[in-house]
């Protein structure tokens, strides 16, 4: 069985290596747009775009295809900018980058450059925000998220930090009372065990470390060793982050950019990025199953 | 399809346009967050998510209404005002708060009186409601008691709305609210059918 598994992986690696990079990133980008759609029209648009790329291979290297996608999304992002999260904008920036890259003969080099700089800049800017925000580096943010955000509570706070159900309910009530004015002093008193604080501070500084490292590493000029380190780190970041906070629009987008950034000899890395994408989706699906079972 | 040849201008556009635009938009977002208290999360592309406890999703409103210009009741509003609600929470400017408050004064408000079913004169709570948002609050407040309610259409003489944010005190294990912006609208001519309002900001 192990031999069969190894053979299968080797075959899959070869297939991915032979597939045109703009086909792979095209399919994955349409998937990202589907995750970011939040509405019937854009969901159907994304599915239609994916189907178009599958059945009309000549469009996979068409800059017009991607520019049209960007133009269709722009009104929503301009008019309803408050209703759209960072990863939605980021996805459209990426579509624009693909479109512009395909307008020249050096499309592979251009998209590799854009992928590297978009990954690097997004992580660097995110790190700068965190480093200049006392609400972040003093640990407030992760304390709040571990106690209030159901994604963290389900995966980390109750299972790992040992927050018990009665304290969880009391905290939820305290926050609701604060919001609807039932408290006179504007304070919600919470109860949680010490491990919550330890985990909050660990996550605070781990995130600065990993995001800062990714920001710097992706903005440095590529070498073989540097490439191996930063690709591995990006996959580790994706698995550890999106297993807890399943923002698929970001997770799959970073994997797509990672594939686009691979040099021609980095065939195994491309395969690993695809495998990591599949893992993120599997983790998301199993999470849904867990929630439904315990609901 | 190669629209551009490989001169330096086309290369600059194809390589640098998107990364430069990303930095430009993120810088604007960062500026607006620090100067105008715009939410650091979402609502644009600043990459400030998971940075601050105070952001549009954790911000909330408190609203109070008076029908006689003096006694105030807690007021609840909901989905009909979602867009204006979000606008004011994302960018808590006087203008956005004013837009929301003006729209609230134009809504149909009901006074909901909660009383003991055995004694109608024993009033347990008096709140103002539009959009049937008060039900959830009342259910939570009186979940272990049998109560009756009576709703009457009212006209707003004054409306006060506060936008609050939160901070987390890790030492005391507390979430604390703080005032971000506040607006009070008072009908210029009491009991008049003409709706014009005096505005008093924070």
């Amino acid at each position: 069985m192990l031999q069969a598994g190894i053979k299968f992986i080797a075959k899959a690696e070869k297939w991915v290596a032979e597939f045109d990079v703009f086909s792979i990133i095209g399919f994955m980008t349409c998937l990202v747009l589907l995750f970011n759609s939040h509405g019937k029209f854009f969901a159907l648009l994304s599915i239609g775009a994916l189907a178009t790329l599958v059945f009309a291979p000549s469009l996979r290297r068409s800059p017009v295809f991607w520019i049209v996608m960007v133009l269709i999304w722009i009104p929503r992002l301009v008019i309803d900018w408050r209703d759209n999260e960072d990863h939605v904008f980021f996805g459209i920036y990426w579509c624009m980058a693909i479109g512009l890259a395909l307008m020249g003969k050096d499309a592979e080099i251009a998209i590799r450059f854009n992928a590297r700089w978009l990954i690097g800049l997004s992580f660097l800017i995110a790190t700068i925000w965190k480093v200049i925000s006392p609400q972040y580096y003093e640990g407030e943010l992760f304390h709040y998220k571990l106690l209030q955000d159901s994604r963290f509570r389900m995966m980390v706070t109750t299972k790992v930090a040992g927050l018990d159900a009665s304290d969880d309910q009391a905290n939820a009530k305290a926050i609701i009372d604060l919001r609807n004015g039932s408290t006179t002093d504007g304070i919600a008193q919470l109860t949680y065990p010490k491990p919550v604080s330890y985990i909050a501070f660990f996550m605070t500084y781990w995130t600065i470390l990993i995001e800062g490292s990714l920001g710097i590493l992706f903005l440095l000029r590529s070498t073989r060793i540097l490439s191996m380190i930063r690709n591995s780190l990006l996959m580790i970041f994706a698995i550890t982050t999106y297993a807890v906070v399943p923002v698929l629009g970001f997770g799959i987008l970073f994997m797509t950019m990672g594939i686009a950034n691979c040099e021609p000899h980095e065939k195994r890395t491309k395969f690993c990025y695809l495998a990591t994408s599949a893992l993120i989706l599997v983790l998301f699906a199993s999470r849904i199953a867990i929630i439904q079972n315990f609901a | 399809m190669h629209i551009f040849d490989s001169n330096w201008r086309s290369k600059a556009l194809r390589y640098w346009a998107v990364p430069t635009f990303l930095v430009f938009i993120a810088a604007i977002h960062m500026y607006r967050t620090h100067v105008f208290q715009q939410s650091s999360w979402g609502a644009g592309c600043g990459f400030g998510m998971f940075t601050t406890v105070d952001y549009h999703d954790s911000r909330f409103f408190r609203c109070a209404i008076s029908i006689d210009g003096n006694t105030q009741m807690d007021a609840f509003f909901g989905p009909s005002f979602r867009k204006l609600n979000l606008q004011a929470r994302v960018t808590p400017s006087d203008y956005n708060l004013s837009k929301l408050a003006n729209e609230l004064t134009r809504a149909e408000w009901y006074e909901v009186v909660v009383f003991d079913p055995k004694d109608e004169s024993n009033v347990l709570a008096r709140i103002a409601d539009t959009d049937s948002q008060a039900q959830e609050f009342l259910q939570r407040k009186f979940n272990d008691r049998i109560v009756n309610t009576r709703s009457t259409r009212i006209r707003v003489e004054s409306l006060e709305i506060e936008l609050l944010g939160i901070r987390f005190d890790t030492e005391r294990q507390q979430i604390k609210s703080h005032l971000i912006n506040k607006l009070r609208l008072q009908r210029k001519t009491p009991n008049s059918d003409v709706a014009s309002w005096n505005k008093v900001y924070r």
Side-chain angles (χ1 to χ4, degrees):
Chain A
M1 183 132 164
L2 184 65
Q3 288 280 12
I6 292 170
K7 265 189 180 168
F8 171 76
I9 289 173
K11 262 192 177 162
E13 238 181 71
K14 191 168 176 254
W15 179 78
V16 169
E18 286 165 5
F19 219 70
D20 173 38
V21 69
F22 280 97
S23 296
I24 300 175
I25 67 176
F27 297 149
M28 289 179 78
T29 305
C30 288
L31 204 58
V32 167
L33 294 177
L34 179 61
F35 292 139
N36 293 345
S37 55
H38 304 312
K40 259 192 207 146
F41 172 76
F42 286 98
L44 289 171
L45 175 73
S46 307
I47 294 168
L50 181 60
T52 304
L53 292 183
V54 167
F55 295 112
S58 58
L59 288 178
R60 294 174 197 173
R61 280 188 168 256
S62 163
V64 173
F65 177 88
W66 293 105
I67 303 299
V68 167
M69 288 298 285
V70 170
L71 291 174
I72 295 173
W73 274 82
I74 280 177
R76 166 179 159 170
L77 297 181
V78 169
I79 296 166
D80 274 335
W81 62 271
R82 292 176 189 88
D83 250 327
N84 287 285
E85 293 171 329
D86 298 69
H87 54 274
V88 181
F89 289 87
F90 200 31
I92 299 308
Y93 289 173
W94 176 239
C95 291
M96 193 70 207
I98 298 174
L100 287 173
L102 286 167
M103 284 180 182
K105 289 177 195 167
D106 57 347
E108 282 83 355
I109 302 172
I111 200 61
R112 223 179 290 141
F113 182 91
N114 270 280
R116 186 166 71 80
W117 275 84
L118 290 179
I119 295 171
L121 286 170
S122 61
F123 278 111
L124 190 67
I125 293 168
T127 307
I128 291 170
W129 272 99
K130 291 171 171 73
V131 162
I132 65 173
S133 299
Q135 288 184 45
Y136 183 82
Y137 61 71
E138 287 176 2
E140 286 185 50
L141 184 279
F142 272 115
H143 272 86
Y144 178 70
K145 280 290 162 185
L146 283 169
L147 292 164
Q148 194 275 338
D149 190 321
S150 59
R151 299 169 297 184
F152 287 92
R153 285 207 326 271
M154 197 182 88
M155 299 291 285
V156 180
T157 326
T158 47
K159 287 189 170 57
V160 179
L163 179 74
D164 68 45
S166 59
D167 284 343
D168 190 23
Q169 271 172 24
N171 292 339
K173 185 179 180 305
I175 293 169
I176 290 170
D177 286 345
L178 175 72
R179 292 175 74 95
N180 66 25
S182 300
T183 60
T184 47
D185 56 3
I187 292 174
Q189 184 64 53
L190 307 180
T191 311
Y192 52 87
K194 264 267 180 245
V196 170
S197 290
Y198 300 145
I199 292 172
F201 283 111
F202 170 75
M203 289 173 90
T204 298
Y205 294 109
W206 163 251
T207 305
I208 289 179
L209 181 67
I210 194 168
E211 288 189 358
S213 301
L214 283 167
I216 293 167
L217 292 175
F218 270 91
L219 293 179
L220 293 173
R221 286 188 94 97
S222 304
T223 64
R224 278 205 174 212
I225 292 179
L226 182 68
S227 205
M228 194 180 71
I229 295 170
R230 67 190 181 196
N231 287 325
S232 307
L233 204 57
L234 184 59
M235 288 181 235
I236 290 168
F237 173 83
I239 294 168
T240 54
T241 303
Y242 302 113
V244 179
V245 186
V247 185
L248 297 179
F250 252 135
I252 305 300
L253 183 57
F254 278 128
M255 297 300 97
T256 308
M257 290 179 178
I259 290 172
N261 182 47
C262 287
E263 301 274 351
H265 64 270
E266 290 177 316
K267 296 171 188 165
R268 183 158 287 176
T269 311
K270 253 193 235 177
F271 176 76
C272 287
Y273 270 120
L274 265 180
T276 309
S277 307
L279 181 58
I280 292 170
L281 292 171
V282 164
L283 287 171
F284 175 71
S286 54
R287 191 193 172 95
I288 302 273
I290 291 169
I291 291 168
Q292 281 178 344
N293 274 329
F294 284 99
Chain B
M1 181 185 190
H2 301 144
I3 294 168
F4 295 110
D5 60 22
S6 55
N7 69 37
W8 69 269
R9 275 191 202 90
S10 88
K11 236 183 164 166
L13 178 70
R14 291 167 52 242
Y15 282 58
W16 288 105
V18 177
T20 306
F21 187 71
L22 180 148
V23 172
F24 176 67
I25 296 295
I28 291 176
H29 195 157
M30 219 179 261
Y31 169 77
R32 286 179 61 87
T33 296
H34 285 94
V35 174
F36 301 114
Q37 294 180 282
Q38 180 168 314
S39 172
S40 60
W41 294 48
C45 197
F47 299 100
M49 55 278 175
F50 284 90
T51 303
T52 55
V53 175
D54 176 36
Y55 70 111
H56 63 278
D57 230 20
S58 65
R59 290 173 176 173
F60 58 99
F61 288 102
R62 285 222 198 102
C63 188
I65 269 172
S66 169
I67 56 176
D68 58 9
N70 293 315
T71 329
Q72 287 198 323
M73 318 178 247
D74 287 338
F76 294 85
F77 60 92
S80 305
F81 306 92
R82 197 196 82 85
K83 239 184 158 72
L84 293 174
N85 183 325
L86 178 66
Q87 242 174 277
R89 282 185 288 118
V90 168
T91 316
S93 61
D94 290 347
Y95 176 71
N96 284 334
L97 200 62
S98 179
K99 268 170 74 175
L100 174 60
N102 282 331
E103 208 52 38
L104 286 170
T105 60
R106 286 193 270 271
E108 274 182 16
W109 285 93
Y110 292 84
E111 181 188 27
V112 179
V113 176
V114 184
F115 56 93
D116 186 336
K118 292 176 190 160
D119 178 8
E120 269 198 37
S121 62
N122 184 8
V123 172
L124 303 167
R126 199 187 293 269
I127 58 175
D129 186 22
T130 184
D131 259 350
S132 304
Q133 288 307 295
Q135 295 306 315
E136 207 185 307
F137 167 75
L138 291 174
Q139 262 166 19
R140 225 178 292 115
K141 194 172 168 85
F142 296 107
N143 65 358
D144 55 353
R145 251 183 113 150
I146 296 170
V147 296
N148 274 352
T149 60
R150 186 174 59 234
S151 291
T152 333
R153 180 97 189 262
I154 53 173
R155 188 173 70 178
V156 174
E157 287 298 316
S158 73
L159 180 144
E160 190 171 285
I161 185 164
E162 297 179 333
L163 176 64
L164 297 116
I166 59 168
R167 293 291 299 265
F168 197 109
D169 184 336
T170 56
E171 279 185 25
R172 293 189 177 86
Q173 297 192 351
Q174 292 173 341
I175 291 177
K176 294 177 180 170
S177 62
H178 63 272
L179 185 66
I180 296 174
N181 205 349
K182 180 175 170 171
L183 169 63
R184 182 182 164 83
L185 296 182
Q186 180 91 38
R187 204 180 275 271
K188 277 186 183 168
T189 315
N191 301 316
S192 164
D193 284 334
V194 176
S196 62
W197 304 86
N198 287 320
K199 289 182 190 176
V200 179
Y201 292 101
R202 183 186 181 187

